[in-house]
Each structure stands twice: as structure tokens, then as C-alpha cells.
């Protein structure tokens, strides 16, 4: 038998305990906010050890941590280096990244390029600096779509890859954990059109739904064209009746005359 719940006779004690809990929750939230603010400054302070003068750096898309990482190196040490920013289609967040880095310092040369040309440019790159959503227990990362082929190209050309993220992004999970599917949608076998409305980024003719509509329209047009050219259609029936009238007119020709069309028909 379960013991009966204790009856709180004094409501003041209950209010005091709840107030203490609220105070602890507020303190923990403030500590988390401070850690988030300090993480970017701590990451940016380490940029001097990784970025050197006259280097060519490649990054992918937009990441606030990567922006602070590179801008701190350019402003504090006045180092001149070049940055190649991949545009990260289909959202093209790399365009915003290139604009922000171009405003930092005139010594920083920014080049925006397509995702397909990263492998061709990788042989000239000195270092790849990336941002990520999370760091898993086995050392893997959850990053935007397009990061994996970039890392494969860096491995093929023996280019070091540096991932910039805070401690709050560490996850004690393995890549095949089903819990990762809810926040990140990592392992659901879905089409890209179900996750992102691609019609807003590219034309309707390049999406799966637009292609299906075009195919349906083409099939309907083909069916209508076949129906008009078929012998059972109204036009074909009229043509057949006209031919029947011509044959009957030839059969009703005079008896003495020759019937040239009977044997040929």
C-alpha cells in the first residue's frame, strides 16, 4: 500500500520552497546565458593560433562563431588573409557571410563561390574552417547539408579542417541514436521538397512537385492528341462515313459502264 501524501498545513512553507526553487532556476539560466556569451569570445581568442598571415581559408555557409573567429583575427593582429566562402545552396547563406566578412577589414579578401567548385579550389586552400550544429560522442558533427563533400575534398587534398563550436553543443549521443531524428531530421528518408519548399529558392520546373505537374500536363496533352487522331473519334468517324458514301456511289454506277473500283477495293 502506498503511503498517503503529506498534507501541508502551512502554505507559507510551500511558498518559501517554491521561491527558493525559482531562485535556483533563474541563477542557472543566467549562468547559461553567460556561458553562451563567453563561448564565442573564448573561441575567437584562439583564432590567432590557427589563422596565419597570407593564408587562403575556405568556409561553408554562414556561422556566427566562424564570423567572430575570423573577424577577431583580422582586427586584433591586423593579419591579411583571404577567405573563400561557399554559397551553401539552396538557402545561399554564404552570401551573407561574404558580406559580413568584407565589412571587417580591407586586408581581408573575400571570394564567394559555388558549392560545385570547392573541389577544384581545394588544392590551393591552406585550411578549412567550419561551423556545426552539434558535436557527437564519437567525434562526428551535425552540420548543414553540403559539409560532407567539402570534408571529403579536404581529405583528398590533405587540407586540415577546423570545426568551431561551443561547449554547449556537445551531445553524449552516437550518430545512429534515434533521438537525433526529432530535432535534426538526420535519418528520415524524405525528399528534400518535404523538408524545404524548394520552389521559393529555385524554379518550379526543378522541384519534384513541379516536374510531376509538368508530366501530368504532357500526358494529358498526349492523350488528347491521340484521342483526336484515333479512328473511333468524331473526326475519324466522319472520314470513314465519307469513304463509305464514295464506295456506295461507285457501286450504283450504270450497268453497262465499267466498274473500275470494285476489284481494286
Amino acid at each position: 500500500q502506498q503511503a498517503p501524501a503529506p498534507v501541508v498545513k502551512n502554505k507559507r512553507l510551500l511558498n518559501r520552497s517554491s521561491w527558493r526553487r525559482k531562485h535556483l532556476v533563474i541563477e542557472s539560466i543566467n549562468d547559461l546565458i553567460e556561458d553562451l556569451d563567453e563561448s564565442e569570445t573564448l573561441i575567437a581568442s584562439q583564432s590567432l593560433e590557427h589563422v596565419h598571415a597570407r593564408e587562403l581559408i575556405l568556409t561553408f555557409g554562414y556561422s556566427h562563431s566562424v564570423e567572430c573567429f575570423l573577424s577577431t583575427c583580422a582586427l586584433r593582429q591586423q593579419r591579411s588573409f583571404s577567405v573563400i566562402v561557399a554559397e551553401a545552396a539552396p538557402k545561399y547563406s554564404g552570401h551573407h557571410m561574404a558580406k559580413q566578412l568584407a565589412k571587417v577589414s580591407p586586408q581581408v579578401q573575400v571570394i564567394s563561390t559555388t558549392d560545385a567548385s570547392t573541389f577544384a579550389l581545394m588544392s590551393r586552400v591552406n585550411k578549412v574552417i567550419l561551423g556545426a550544429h552539434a558535436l557527437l560522442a564519437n567525434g562526428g558533427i551535425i552540420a548543414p547539408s553540403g559539409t560532407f563533400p567539402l570534408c571529403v575534398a579536404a581529405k583528398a587534398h590533405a587540407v586540415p579542417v577546423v570545426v568551431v563550436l561551443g561547449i554547449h553543443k556537445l551531445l553524449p549521443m552516437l550518430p545512429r541514436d534515434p533521438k537525433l531524428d526529432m530535432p535534426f531530421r538526420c535519418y528520415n528518408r524524405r525528399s528534400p521538397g518535404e523538408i524545404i519548399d524548394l520552389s521559393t529558392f529555385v524554379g518550379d520546373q526543378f522541384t519534384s512537385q513541379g516536374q510531376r505537374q509538368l508530366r501530368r500536363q504532357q500526358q494529358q496533352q498526349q492523350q488528347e492528341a491521340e484521342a483526336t487522331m484515333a479512328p473511333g473519334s468524331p473526326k475519324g468517324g466522319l472520314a470513314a462515313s465519307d469513304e463509305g458514301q464514295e464506295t456506295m456511289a461507285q457501286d450504283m454506277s450504270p450497268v453497262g459502264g465499267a466498274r473500275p473500283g470494285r476489284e481494286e477495293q
Side-chain angles (χ1 to χ4, degrees):
Q1 294 181 359
Q2 297 179 356
V7 179
V8 180
K9 296 182 179 180
N10 193 354
K11 293 184 179 180
R12 293 182 180 179
L13 296 175
L14 183 62
N15 293 331
R16 288 178 183 177
S17 61
S18 62
W19 173 251
R20 290 176 182 176
R21 292 175 183 176
K22 289 180 181 179
H23 184 66
L24 293 175
V25 171
I26 292 170
E27 285 184 354
S28 61
I29 292 173
N30 291 329
D31 293 338
L32 179 60
I33 293 172
E34 290 179 359
D35 293 339
L36 292 175
D37 294 336
E38 292 178 358
S39 64
E40 293 183 353
T41 57
L42 293 173
I43 291 170
S45 62
Q46 299 178 9
S47 62
L48 305 177
E49 301 176 2
H50 297 280
V51 180
H52 305 286
R54 298 180 181 178
E55 278 191 345
L56 182 60
I57 298 170
L58 177 63
T59 185
F60 183 83
Y62 178 78
S63 174
H64 186 67
S65 300
V66 176
E67 181 186 353
C68 296
F69 189 81
L70 297 175
S71 61
T72 301
C73 182
L75 293 175
R76 286 185 182 180
Q77 295 294 326
Q78 298 295 326
R79 292 179 180 176
S80 61
F81 55 89
S82 302
V83 182
I84 299 175
V85 183
E87 60 185 3
K91 291 187 176 180
Y92 301 103
S93 59
H95 296 171
H96 180 65
M97 184 71 169
K99 291 178 181 178
Q100 294 297 323
L101 292 176
K103 298 176 183 178
V104 173
S105 174
Q107 296 181 357
V108 179
Q109 296 181 359
V110 182
I111 303 169
S112 180
T113 183
T114 59
D115 301 338
S117 60
T118 54
F119 189 87
L121 297 172
M122 191 61 69
S123 60
R124 301 181 180 180
V125 173
N126 301 111
K127 198 169 295 179
V128 177
I129 299 177
L130 301 173
H133 299 305
L135 177 65
L136 302 178
N138 64 341
I141 60 172
I142 298 176
S145 177
T147 306
F148 178 72
L150 189 67
C151 294
V152 172
K155 183 180 179 180
H157 292 277
V159 177
V161 178
V162 179
V163 180
V164 178
L165 48 84
I167 301 176
H168 61 279
K169 293 185 178 181
L170 299 178
L171 291 179
M173 298 179 184
L174 294 174
R176 295 298 177 183
D177 196 334
K179 294 180 181 179
L180 294 174
D181 189 33
M182 293 301 293
F184 297 105
R185 296 183 180 180
C186 296
Y187 305 112
N188 270 345
R189 295 182 179 179
R190 303 177 181 176
S191 62
E194 294 179 359
I195 299 174
I196 300 175
D197 188 8
L198 297 177
S199 60
T200 58
F201 302 104
V202 297
D204 294 335
Q205 66 272 16
F206 296 103
T207 59
S208 58
Q209 296 180 356
Q211 289 179 359
R212 289 175 186 173
Q213 292 179 359
L214 290 174
R215 288 176 184 174
R216 289 175 184 175
Q217 292 178 0
Q218 291 176 359
Q219 289 178 1
Q220 290 179 359
Q221 292 177 359
Q222 289 180 359
Q223 290 177 0
E224 291 176 357
E226 291 176 357
T228 54
M229 298 299 293
S233 62
K235 293 182 179 179
L238 290 173
S241 62
D242 293 337
E243 290 179 359
Q245 290 179 1
E246 290 180 1
T247 54
M248 289 179 64
Q250 290 178 0
D251 292 337
M252 293 175 63
S253 60
V255 180
R259 296 179 180 177
R262 180 177 293 272
E263 295 178 358
E264 294 177 0
Q265 291 176 359

